């Protein structure tokens, strides 16, 4: 099983084919929420015919229907050069990622991540989001952590 919501978003180097494209024994899951719009909760499954039939039945038993509006939005995006849209996303996200990396290199203080975990924390982990902000906001946000959209809350 290959859960690959970010596979199309590559910021450097050559495209790496999904393992599912190299074997008929791998189920491949993708999502429009990362390449279309964050609220577009619609994905896809690429699978060999035999398990696919069973999985379709299981999906029907779970919810019977996927949002018509979400399906129409995804169809529109796919019909209007999805690949060009993904290339634009990659360029914009690359610029934002680079801005965050550059800002981090200029000295960052942060609260250790252990206090934000509900279970056993990974002490070597830090998660920073760069996809939803402009380069200017990233630079400023890294310059002064804790001063985001919600003053006083640290968010």
């Amino acid at each position: 099983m290959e859960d690959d919501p970010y596979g199309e978003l590559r910021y450097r180097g050559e495209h790496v084919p999904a393992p599912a494209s190299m074997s008929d024994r791998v189920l491949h899951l993708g999502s429009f929420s990362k390449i279309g719009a964050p609220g577009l909760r619609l994905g896809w499954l690429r699978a060999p015919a035999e398990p696919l039939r069973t999985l379709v039945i299981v999906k029907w038993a779970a919810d019977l229907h996927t949002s018509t509006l979400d399906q129409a939005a995804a169809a529109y995006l796919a019909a209007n050069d999805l690949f060009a849209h993904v290339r634009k996303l990659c360029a914009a996200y690359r610029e934002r990622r680079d801005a965050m990396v550059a800002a981090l290199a200029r000295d960052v203080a942060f609260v250790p991540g252990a206090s934000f975990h509900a279970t056993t924390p990974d002490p070597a982990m830090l998660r920073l989001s760069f996809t939803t902000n402009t380069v200017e906001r990233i630079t400023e946000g890294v310059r002064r952590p804790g001063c985001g959209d919600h003053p006083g809350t640290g968010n």
Side-chain angles (χ1 to χ4, degrees), residues 1 6 9 22 30 39 51 60 71 73 101 112 116 119 122 127 129 151 154:
M1 171 85 60
Y6 297 97
L9 299 175
M22 298 176 228
W60 286 341
Q71 290 181 71
V101 170
F116 299 101
T119 59
D122 179 351
R127 181 175 181 181
S129 175

Side-chain angles (χ1 to χ4, degrees), residues 1-4 19-20 23 25-30 44-48 51 55:
M1 171 85 60
E2 177 185 10
D3 185 9
D4 187 26
S23 170
R25 298 180 56 122
V26 178
L27 305 178
H28 180 255
L29 302 168
W44 63 85
L45 168 67
R46 181 173 56 202
L55 292 167

Side-chain angles (χ1 to χ4, degrees), residues 119-150:
T119 59
T120 307
D122 179 351
M125 186 173 69
L126 172 66
R127 181 175 181 181
L128 300 170
S129 175
F130 56 84
T131 62
T132 58
N133 290 293
T134 64
V135 169
E136 294 77 21
R137 285 188 60 131
I138 290 168
T139 302
E140 181 63 15
V142 169
R143 188 183 72 73
R144 52 183 195 140
C147 299
D149 292 334
H150 307 285

Side-chain angles (χ1 to χ4, degrees), residues 5-12 31-38 40 44 77 81-98 130-133 135:
Y6 297 97
E8 300 299 322
L9 299 175
R10 188 164 182 86
Y11 309 128
R12 65 182 166 140
S31 172
F32 280 101
S33 69
K34 306 306 181 215
I35 61 171
L40 189 56
W44 63 85
L77 185 61
D81 204 351
L82 176 62
F83 299 112
H85 174 73
V86 170
R87 285 192 300 273
K88 287 179 188 175
L89 279 181
C90 287
Y93 291 173
R94 180 182 309 109
E95 180 183 27
R96 294 171 189 177
R97 182 217 44 204
D98 292 350
F130 56 84
T131 62
T132 58
N133 290 293
V135 169

